[in-house]
Amino acid sequence: NAGVTQTPKFQVLKTGQSMTLQCAQDMNHEYMSWYRQDPGMGLRLIHYSVGAGITDQGEVPNGYNVSRSTTEDFPLRLLSAAPSQTSVYFCASRETGGKRARHNSPLHFGNGTRLTVT
Amino acid sequence: AQKITQTQPGMFVQEKEAVTLDCTYDTSDPSYGLFWYKQPSSGEMIFLIYQGSYDQQNATEGRYSLNFQKARKSANLVISASQLGDSAMYFCAMREGPIQGAQKLVFGQGTRLTINP
C-alpha cells in the first residue's frame, strides 16, 4: 500500500496565482484532513472531511477550499495565493471504523508539500 | 487558549540518558485521546504512542512510555536510553470531538530534541 500520497513535493507560486495540492489515500479511510506547519506554531488544521461529500473547516480555513468527491481523494485549493500561505502542507487520514469509531487510530500523514509564495 | 501546550521549545540530552518531553492539555470533554508524533529532519510524521482518557494504565511502546496524569492534564512522553536517531521534532496532539462524530486532532507547538554523543 502506498498510504497517503501528496503531490507536488515542492511548489513556488507568485502572489495571486491559484493551484491545487493533491492528496490520495489507498487505505479506505473515511477521515481526511489538511494541516499547515509553520515554525513555532506546530500543525494547524485547515479543513477536514469525515467522508465523501462532507467537508468542514478547521482552525485556519481562510484562503483555502476543499472538496471530497471520492473516499480516496481530498484536494486542497488555493484560489489566490498570498505570501502568508508560504508553509509546509500535510495531508493526513485516519480510520474511523464506520459505525464504531476507532478512537485510538492515529493519523497517517503524507510526506508534505513545501509551498513558497513570492 | 491553547488546547495543547508544549513548554520546551528545545532540549539537549546526552546519548543513553532518559528524556521527558512535556505536554499539557485543556479539554472539558471526558472522552479524549492523546498522541505523540516524531518528525525527523527528513520531514515525515511518525506516530509513536497513544493514550486514551479512560485507559487505566500508562501507554508503553518499546522505549517510549507516556506519563499520563489525568488530574494535572499532562501527558508527558518518556524516552528511555536515548539514541542519536531520536534527534527530531516531537509533537503532542489531542483528539477531540464525539466518538461517533468528527474527531479532530489538535497539535502542540512541538519540542526539538537533540541527542548529543
Side-chain angles (χ1 to χ4, degrees), chain B residues 26-81:
Chain B
D26 182 25
T27 183
S28 57
D29 192 337
S31 176
Y32 54 89
L34 296 151
F35 300 79
W36 276 91
Y37 283 84
K38 172 184 179 181
Q39 186 180 41
S41 58
S42 52
E44 71 267 33
M45 295 288 288
I46 302 168
F47 165 67
L48 296 177
I49 196 167
Y50 168 83
Q51 180 83 45
S53 59
Y54 294 122
D55 292 343
Q56 295 296 312
Q57 294 186 327
N58 287 346
T60 60
E61 288 287 349
R63 292 187 301 112
Y64 303 109
S65 61
L66 213 151
N67 183 4
F68 182 48
Q69 298 188 43
K70 198 170 181 177
R72 295 186 177 184
K73 294 189 175 179
S74 74
N76 300 338
L77 177 70
V78 180
I79 305 174
S80 63

Side-chain angles (χ1 to χ4, degrees), chain B residues 81-99:
Chain B
S82 58
Q83 302 170 355
L84 296 178
D86 293 332
S87 293
M89 195 77 167
Y90 288 81
F91 290 99
C92 179
M94 178 174 66
R95 168 189 54 79
E96 59 177 3
I99 290 290

